Amino acid sequence: MNRAAAALRVAQPSHRQAVRNLEKDLRTKLFHRVGRYLAPAPAGEALVGPADPEGRGRHVVREVRDVERGRIDIDG
């Protein structure tokens, strides 16, 4: 989050809140929090690339969130 905020030239708390708001709006997690690090969740991976002003990003995230498309990770 710190490096992303710096690259975007926004304050880290503002960036973190924007990601939280987006996750709330999309009703899904975009990142797995692993200690101090973030890794993209399946919905976050699906969002890379197709996000555009016409809302394609919302469509692909909805597909993953609603398990219309994506992958299942099983730890065992």
Side-chain angles (χ1 to χ4, degrees), residues 44-68:
E45 289 177 358
L47 189 59
V48 173
D52 60 43
E54 287 78 39
R56 175 80 183 129
R58 288 183 184 278
H59 176 74
V60 297
V61 167
R62 193 175 310 118
E63 286 178 341
V64 172
R65 183 194 67 211
D66 297 340
V67 193
E68 295 172 15

Side-chain angles (χ1 to χ4, degrees), residues 18-37:
V19 171
R20 282 187 192 139
N21 289 341
L22 182 58
E23 289 178 330
K24 182 178 178 183
D25 184 46
L26 295 172
R27 297 182 323 191
T28 192
K29 293 288 184 185
L30 299 175
F31 298 96
H32 295 294
R33 277 98 179 148
V34 182
R36 295 178 38 202
Y37 301 98

